[in-house]
Each structure stands twice: as structure tokens, then as C-alpha cells.
Amino acid sequence: MRKKLFLSTLIIALITLTFSMLAVNLVFHQQFSDYLTKTNEATLEQLPTRLGSLYQSKGTWDPTSLDEISHTLPIGTVVTLTDPSGKLIATLSNMMDDMMHAQGGMSMGMSMSSSSITSWKTKTLTVSGPLGTLATAVVRYPASAPILNPQDVLFQSSVFRSLLFAGGLALLFGIILSYFTSRRLVAPLKRLTQAAERIGQGHLDERVGIQTKDEIGQLALAFNAMVDNLNSQENLRKQFTADIAHELRTPLTSIKSYIEAFQDNVLPANQENLSSIHEEIDRLVDLSSDLKDLNVAEIGALTLAHEPVDLKYLITKVIRSLHSLMQEKQLTLNWNAPPELVTTTGDGRLLTRLFYNLVHNAYRYSNISGQITLSLSQTSDFSEIRIKNTGMGIPEEDLPFIFERFYRADKSRTRETGGTGIGLALVQQITALHQGTITVQSKVGQETEFIIQLPKKIKLVE
């Protein structure tokens, strides 16, 4: 890429320099030629005065003086001088062939002949004196003055040498600038490529230290953010693997222990022991069911039944199903609901699962003789459900992760303080499917509150 950038910049510089020199050459040549043409015409306008002065000073048409005047004529000019009766006095010329032979063909620019001039002009001038008309001069000269004068050629050559030098200098600086610019652009991309290769090899601690604020800097920031996300996902994956292994190993180990005890006649296969095995099997079934529901929700394959749902009725039903458990733990329940009907559009079965998981979660993490407060309110656009419990609370550093699969603020993962470990992940997915939001507030050692907002109507996505 660096080579491509360098070559492309160099080619652009060369093309620009070439066209610039051609354009300047064309304009300069045209303008300089126009300047010479106007100068020649001004010289010819003074010819009658010069010829008249010559005749008056000599009293005749002196050939030597006429020859001197012919050498001062514009190059390529021919003057036919006749007296008033039409008799030829002299022919004055400053032809290019004469000049070439006189100067030995001193330059390529002067090696042209009169036949190369394609356009001519003619004018008739009258030479006057004190006694009247002295002669008539018929002048034939090039319409566009050729640049053949040695001084003009030298001037033109100097201009183009200066232009060529300036162009070469500009090209040199362009090459140097292109080299360092391409190097500066490609170096960060090389570092990004090397970092990407190391990340592909599993080194997720790799970062790119680019501090610029241009597009490369923004790419580096996005790259580092991507690596941070990959690292976070990798940690969650490892944690997920460990958690699911723990969740499966615990009930399976318990079941295995009971069966071995039955085989060794250590424990009798009575109703109590079989009930314990049944509980462990139910635990595995619940885990499998929750994982299936969560996976279906995450891949978007879960279909909602869009129907009017009475939220107050659903929450009341959940409270009744958990009432006996709350009594065993001596919990105080405060249920605050408005007297009017609170309805929303959604899937009653999934919303029941959402409220059950949250209320059961509040029950599980409440301290004995604690308090659970549920409140329901509504506006014209959405319904709000708040579920608060007193208890151990959630540390602030754990709040961003509580909706991850198998994540628990209680790292001990004891039976008393955890279920399958994916209840809150399922709650978040159900809330998202209903286009709602869920937030959590917690004070360690005091209380935890979940706040759910559900829209009155779900917008259908086409």
C-alpha cells in the first residue's frame, strides 16, 4: 500500500507538472508573439518618418543608408520603395534567410526560412517631405511575428529554464513529501495489521497505541474497543462454561451419590430419598427449559402473541403462586396498584414468566422477615412496574453483568442463593421482545429495585 500511495502521488505530481509546463509554454509563446507583432507594427508606423528624414539629410536615396534601415526592419519584412511616378527606388528586406546566412545558422530557432510563414500582411505607406510626396512604400510583413531575434530566443530560453528548474524542484519536494506522507499513513495500518494477527492468535491483551484524531485514530479507537469487547465476551464465555458445568455437575453428582448409596444399601430407597432425586432431576429439566427459552428469544425465533394483557391480574396471580414461600420466610409484601385497569399489548404467558422470575428473585435474595414492595403505574404511553426487596443487595461493579447467563453476584453459587442462573437473562430478553426497558438500582446490604417499563402498544417491525 505504501508503494501504491507513493507511486500514485508521484504520477499525479508528474502529470500536473507536465500539463502546467505545457500550458505556460503555450500561453507564454502566444503572448510573447503578440507582443513582438505589436512592436513590429509600431516600428513600421515610424518607417515613413525615418525614410523622409534620410532623404532630406542626404538629398537623395543613399543606398548605404537604405541598407542600414533595412537591417532595422522587423524580421521577414519586405519594403518596396517607388517614386511618385512608380519607378522602383529600392527594395528593403530583413528576411530570415539573409539573417541565417549572415549569422551562420547560429541556432535551431533561427534556421527557419521565409517559406515557413503562412500568413502575411501588406500595407502602403506614403513618405512625405516639405515639397510633397517623396515616395510610396509597399510593406509586406508576417502577420504573426516569429521569435527569431537572438535576444528574444535567449529571453524565452531563460524563462523556460527557470520554469523547468522550478518544476524540478517542486517535483523533488513532492517526491520527498509523498515518501514521508505514505510512510506516516501506512505505519499505523501496519501496527493495526500486526495487532490483528496477534489477536487472531489469541492474544486478547493486544492494543494499538495511536493518539491521532484523524480517521486512522478513530479506526484505532474502534479496534481497541472491539478487542475490549472480544476480551469481555471471551471472559463471559469461559465463565459461562464454568457455570453451566457447575450447574450440571451439582445435581448429577447428587443423583449419582444417592444411587450409589442405594446400591451399597447405605440409604434406603424410600419416598424421602427418591423425592430428593426427583428434585435434582426437576432442577436439570428447569435448566434445560430455561436455556432453550433464552436461546429461542436471543435468536429472534420467539413469536409474541399480540393481545391485550391485564398487568394487574398477571402480577396478582404471580404473588398468589409465591405467597406460601413468602410466608415461610416471614416476608412482608406491599402490593401497590391503581384502582383502574392497567393493560398493555403483549404475550401474557411470557409476561407472567417475566414477573414470576423477578418476584421469585426478590423472594430468594430477601433477608428473613424482610420486605418486598411491588408497585404498578401507567401513563398514556407506557406502564411501569417496580419490584423492590430488602436484603443483601448487589455490588455496583456487578450491576452491568447481572443480565448475563449464569452470572451471580454471589460467587459461592450456593443452593440457597441461586436458581438456574439464567432467570434475569430471560427477563431481559422478554422485556426487549416487548420493546420495553429494564433497569436496576441497588444498595449493598440494604435493598435492590428492578424497574420495568412496557409500552402500551408494540410497534410492528416490517
Side-chain angles (χ1 to χ4, degrees), residues 120-259:
W120 297 85
K121 285 185 178 182
T122 303
K123 64 170 56 181
T124 302
L125 303 174
T126 300
V127 181
S128 301
L131 301 177
T133 301
L134 298 176
T136 300
V138 179
V139 183
R140 185 172 181 264
Y141 62 97
S144 178
I147 306 174
L148 297 175
N149 189 295
Q151 294 181 348
D152 296 339
V153 173
L154 182 61
F155 173 71
Q156 188 182 39
S157 300
S158 299
V159 170
F160 282 107
R161 278 198 301 269
S162 299
L163 180 62
L164 188 61
F165 175 76
L169 197 61
L171 182 61
L172 177 62
F173 279 113
I175 293 174
I176 296 174
L177 183 62
S178 173
Y179 173 80
F180 286 105
T181 302
S182 61
R183 183 177 181 180
R184 182 177 178 83
L185 286 175
V186 172
L189 295 179
K190 284 185 176 180
R191 292 201 294 270
L192 281 169
T193 302
Q194 293 170 355
E197 290 175 351
R198 284 186 55 80
I199 289 170
Q201 296 170 0
H203 301 282
L204 295 181
D205 57 340
E206 188 74 20
R207 297 295 183 275
V208 181
I210 299 176
Q211 304 298 327
T212 59
K213 295 183 179 180
D214 55 7
E215 288 78 2
I216 299 295
Q218 294 175 3
L219 177 62
L221 289 175
F223 182 86
N224 290 337
M226 179 196 69
V227 177
D228 290 337
N229 186 52
L230 284 175
N231 196 26
S232 175
Q233 291 299 321
E234 178 65 14
N235 291 334
L236 289 174
R237 184 189 67 80
K238 292 178 179 178
Q239 185 65 40
F240 171 77
T241 303
D243 291 341
I244 196 170
H246 182 276
E247 294 293 339
L248 291 173
R249 183 176 63 249
T250 300
L252 289 174
T253 301
S254 178
I255 293 171
K256 179 183 178 182
S257 298
Y258 274 107
I259 292 176

Side-chain angles (χ1 to χ4, degrees), residues 37 68 138 197 214 279 309 408 432:
T37 300
E68 292 177 356
V138 179
E197 290 175 351
D214 55 7
E279 288 178 3
V309 177
R408 291 186 190 172

Side-chain angles (χ1 to χ4, degrees), residues 66-83:
L66 289 175
D67 187 59
E68 292 177 356
I69 290 178
S70 67
H71 288 303
T72 63
L73 293 174
I75 296 174
T77 302
V78 178
V79 179
T80 303
L81 188 64
T82 59
D83 61 13

Side-chain angles (χ1 to χ4, degrees), residues 271-325:
Q271 183 66 30
E272 181 180 357
N273 292 328
L274 290 175
S275 295
S276 297
I277 295 177
H278 189 270
E279 288 178 3
E280 298 298 342
I281 294 175
D282 284 342
R283 182 179 176 84
L284 289 173
V285 171
D286 289 342
L287 175 61
S288 175
S289 178
D290 286 347
L291 279 173
K292 178 184 176 182
D293 290 343
L294 180 60
N295 184 63
V296 170
E298 286 181 342
I299 65 176
L302 192 61
T303 304
L304 293 181
H306 293 80
E307 57 187 7
V309 177
D310 184 350
L311 294 180
K312 187 163 60 172
Y313 169 76
L314 292 184
I315 297 174
T316 302
K317 184 173 66 172
V318 168
I319 293 173
R320 289 174 181 170
S321 67
L322 295 172
H323 182 67
S324 59
L325 293 177

Side-chain angles (χ1 to χ4, degrees), residues 99-107:
M99 189 172 188
M100 179 186 69
H101 293 306
Q103 298 181 3
M106 65 184 304
S107 70

